[in-house]
Amino acid sequence: MRMNHHHQKRNAARRGGAQRNRIFKRFAILLSIITCLIWYTNVQSIRYLDTINDPNGSRTSAIYNIKEKQRMVEMYSSLPTNKTIQIPILIPSHNRKFHLKETLAKDLESIVTIHPNHTYSIQKDISSLLSFAIIGMSKTGTTSLLKMLSNSTSIIPKERCDLVVDDVLLLVNSLHSIKKAQSTQHGQQFPTGIKCPQDISSQKSIQNYKKYFPKTKLIVGLRHPILWFESLYNFNARNMNKMAPTKKLERCIKGSHGVCAWRVNVADFLSQLNKTPMMEEDELQYMNLKESTDKATTDKRQVGPVFLYEVNQLQSSASENDSFRKDLGDFIGIEHEVLPAVPHINTAGVLDFVPGVKEFSESKMINICDDDHIHIRSILLEKARSSSAWILTYLLKSNDVHVSSRDNFVKKLENWSEDPCIERRRMGSTNNFRHV
C-alpha cells in the first residue's frame, strides 16, 4: 500500500514536470515570435532613414541597406561639431513634429517656415520635387513596380506614406535631398517618385497631392475586388495577424488589419482625383460613399495625369508586357531606356524562419470561393460591377487618364462584372488563393 502510494507520487511528479516542459516550450516559442515582431517593427521604423546626403554620388540619397545604415551611424557618431550634415531621422512618428527644426535642411528654410507651436507652412511651389507616385491599390503589384523602376528613376526604395499622416515636410526634406544629390551628377536628372498604396483611399493624401503636388503623375493599380480581398486577407494571415471572420468585414473594424469591403469602393476613391464632371445623377449613382457626392460639389482641385493598370496586365503575354513597360516609361518620362521585366515579389511570410510559423499561418488562409464567404463575396461583387462600370463609362473619357493597350485594359475591367470563382471552378484551380 505504501509502495503504491510512493509510485503515485512519483508519477504525479513526472506528469507535473512534463506539463512544466510543455509550458516552457510554448513560452519560448511565444517569446521568439514577440522578439521577431519587435525586430520587424524596428526595421520598418527605419524607413524614415533617408535624408542623408550620399557622399558616393549615387542617383538617390535614399539609402536602406543594412551596411549603409551602419556606415551612416558610425559617420554621424564621429562627426566634428562644425560639420553640417543631415541627421538621420530615427524618431517615432508621433514625435517627429517636435523635431521639425532639427530635421530641416538649411537650404529649405526659405521654402518652409517652422512655427513656435511646432507646426509648419510651405511658402513656395514644391510641386517639381515629386515627378510621380504609385498610390495604390495595395496587392496590385506596387512593390514589383517600385523594384522595376528603381534603376531608371530616383524612386525612394521603401513605402513612403507621409502624406497619409500629413507629414508633408518629412517627404519634402527627403525629395529635396534627392534633387540636391542629382544636381552634382553632371546635370543628369531622373524622375523622382514614391510608393504608398494607401494614398488612393486616403482623403488626406489626395488633399495633399492637390495642394502641394498638383503636377505629380499618379500611377494607380486595380484588381478585381474579390481577388483583392482574398489576397490581402491571406497576406495578413501569412504574416501572423489574427483575422476577423469575413462576414464581419463589410467595414474596417478592430482585427481587420485594413481588410474590408469598404476599401474596394474603387470608383469613390478614383472620383477624388476630379477627372470626371461628377455633376449628373447618372454618374453619381455609381458612388457608394456619401462623402464622394458631397466632395463632388465642393472640391474642384485637380491632381496630375493618371496612369491606370489592371494587375493582370503585369502578367500578360510578352508583347502586351512590352507595351505596358513602354507606355509606363513614356508616362513617367523615362527617356532612351527600356524598363526591365516586372519582377514577382512576395512580401508574405516574414516570420517563416520561426519553426512552425509557416504551416500555422498557411492554415489560417482562406479560399474566397468557399461557401463560408458567400456573404462578403456578394458585397464585393456589387462594388466590382459599379466601379468597373464607372471607370469604363466616365473615367476613361478623360484626356488626363492614360492606360496601356486600351482594348486589353477594357476587356479586363469588363471581367469585373463576373464572379472570378466561376472561372476558378471551371479551370479547377483550387490553389490560386495561396498566391498572395
Side-chain angles (χ1 to χ4, degrees):
M1 189 75 172
R2 188 175 297 173
M3 280 291 288
N4 194 20
H5 179 67
H6 176 70
H7 282 305
Q8 287 177 350
K9 287 180 66 177
R10 187 166 60 183
N11 290 338
R14 286 176 178 172
R15 285 195 300 272
Q19 187 175 5
R20 281 193 299 272
N21 287 336
R22 284 196 297 271
I23 293 174
F24 176 77
K25 288 179 180 178
R26 290 172 182 171
F27 177 76
I29 293 173
L30 180 61
L31 186 61
S32 299
I33 292 173
I34 292 173
T35 302
C36 293
L37 288 173
I38 293 173
W39 170 83
Y40 179 69
T41 302
N42 287 336
V43 169
Q44 289 297 99
S45 69
I46 299 176
R47 67 192 178 94
Y48 292 102
L49 186 64
D50 64 355
T51 54
I52 191 166
N53 293 321
D54 182 8
N56 298 322
S58 64
R59 84 175 48 167
T60 174
S61 63
I63 303 170
Y64 286 90
N65 64 71
I66 300 300
K67 290 183 179 179
E68 282 297 321
K69 287 175 196 163
Q70 292 172 344
R71 180 184 66 78
M72 290 159 64
V73 170
E74 291 169 0
M75 181 174 66
Y76 174 62
S77 62
S78 61
L79 280 177
T81 55
N82 62 345
K83 187 168 183 179
T84 302
I85 193 166
Q86 273 303 113
I87 300 174
I89 300 171
L90 291 170
I91 49 181
S93 59
H94 60 277
N95 288 329
R96 283 202 298 271
K97 289 188 177 180
F98 183 77
H99 296 264
L100 290 177
K101 191 70 176 177
E102 287 78 0
T103 62
L104 186 64
K106 282 287 184 184
D107 44 1
L108 269 179
E109 291 182 354
S110 62
I111 300 175
V112 181
T113 301
I114 305 296
H115 303 296
N117 61 350
H118 307 300
T119 60
Y120 61 89
S121 56
I122 297 175
Q123 309 297 334
K124 296 183 180 180
D125 182 12
I126 58 170
S127 59
S128 62
L129 290 177
L130 184 59
S131 308
F132 70 95
I134 303 170
I135 65 171
M137 300 168 50
S138 58
K139 309 311 294 178
T140 60
T142 55
T143 302
S144 295
L145 286 188
L146 184 150
K147 181 67 175 177
M148 181 182 73
L149 294 169
S150 60
N151 292 323
S152 305
T153 69
S154 289
I155 189 169
I156 297 178
K158 287 286 182 182
E159 278 189 13
R160 288 298 297 263
C161 292
D162 308 87
L163 300 185
V164 175
V165 292
D166 215 17
D167 269 349
V168 179
L169 181 57
L170 192 66
L171 180 60
V172 168
N173 212 32
S174 300
L175 294 172
H176 179 266
S177 296
I178 294 174
K179 288 287 189 181
K180 189 175 180 181
Q182 284 185 349
S183 65
T184 65
Q185 298 173 12
H186 311 292
Q188 190 174 15
Q189 297 289 313
F190 298 93
T192 50
I194 61 170
K195 169 212 165 186
C196 177
Q198 298 175 39
D199 278 346
I200 188 60
S201 57
S202 165
Q203 285 189 6
K204 179 60 70 176
S205 287
I206 301 303
Q207 289 169 7
N208 281 324
Y209 279 112
K210 290 175 179 178
K211 183 176 181 179
Y212 299 110
F213 305 106
K215 300 175 185 177
T216 297
K217 298 174 180 178
L218 304 180
I219 302 168
V220 184
L222 305 174
R223 188 174 191 170
H224 194 298
I226 290 177
L227 300 179
W228 171 89
F229 183 97
E230 178 187 54
S231 179
L232 190 58
Y233 188 104
N234 288 340
F235 170 83
N236 277 277
R238 286 286 284 112
N239 287 333
M240 294 296 288
N241 288 323
K242 186 178 180 181
M243 300 300 295
T246 60
K247 62 184 178 183
K248 295 183 178 181
L249 297 180
E250 292 184 38
R251 300 282 299 186
C252 287
I253 59 172
K254 184 177 181 180
S256 67
H257 299 282
V259 185
C260 66
W262 179 88
R263 289 193 64 196
V264 289
N265 288 301
V266 182
D268 295 84
F269 300 145
L270 290 173
S271 72
Q272 296 182 89
L273 307 180
N274 288 346
K275 300 301 182 184
T276 67
M278 291 291 288
M279 297 292 290
E280 302 295 332
E281 190 62 36
D282 287 347
E283 181 179 3
L284 296 177
Q285 68 174 324
Y286 294 104
M287 302 296 117
N288 292 307
L289 304 178
K290 185 178 184 296
E291 297 94 317
S292 302
T293 54
D294 290 343
K295 287 268 182 194
T297 59
T298 57
D299 187 0
K300 297 298 182 182
R301 294 176 299 171
Q302 288 277 332
V303 295
V306 177
F307 184 93
L308 296 178
Y309 70 91
E310 214 274 349
V311 67
N312 288 305
Q313 289 185 283
L314 305 184
Q315 306 159 353
S316 52
S317 64
S319 60
E320 291 174 347
N321 195 270
D322 290 344
S323 296
F324 173 80
R325 289 183 283 128
K326 181 183 182 304
D327 293 339
L328 180 61
D330 291 344
F331 176 78
I332 293 174
I334 299 173
E335 300 177 353
H336 314 300
E337 186 174 349
V338 178
L339 291 174
V342 182
H344 176 71
I345 299 176
N346 189 351
T347 53
V350 294
L351 297 174
D352 281 358
F353 59 89
V354 179
V357 165
K358 185 175 187 294
E359 294 76 12
F360 175 81
S361 63
E362 285 184 342
S363 70
K364 301 299 181 181
M365 295 170 68
I366 64 167
N367 182 345
I368 196 69
C369 298
D370 288 346
D371 290 343
D372 291 344
H373 313 299
I374 288 177
H375 174 69
I376 196 68
R377 204 164 70 238
S378 65
I379 295 172
L380 295 169
L381 183 58
E382 182 180 345
K383 294 180 183 296
R385 288 170 174 166
S386 61
S387 292
S388 62
W390 177 79
I391 292 170
L392 296 173
T393 307
Y394 293 97
L395 187 60
L396 288 188
K397 290 182 179 179
S398 170
N399 293 328
D400 223 15
V401 175
H402 307 264
V403 298
S404 177
S405 305
R406 190 180 185 91
D407 291 344
N408 182 36
F409 177 85
V410 168
K411 184 177 179 180
K412 294 185 185 307
L413 262 289
E414 288 175 342
N415 289 338
W416 282 27
S417 63
E418 301 176 0
D419 185 343
C421 292
I422 297 174
E423 178 68 9
R424 185 181 289 185
R425 294 189 186 104
R426 188 180 70 82
M427 298 294 293
S429 303
T430 57
N431 290 323
N432 281 358
F433 73 96
R434 295 200 174 275
H435 299 290
V436 299

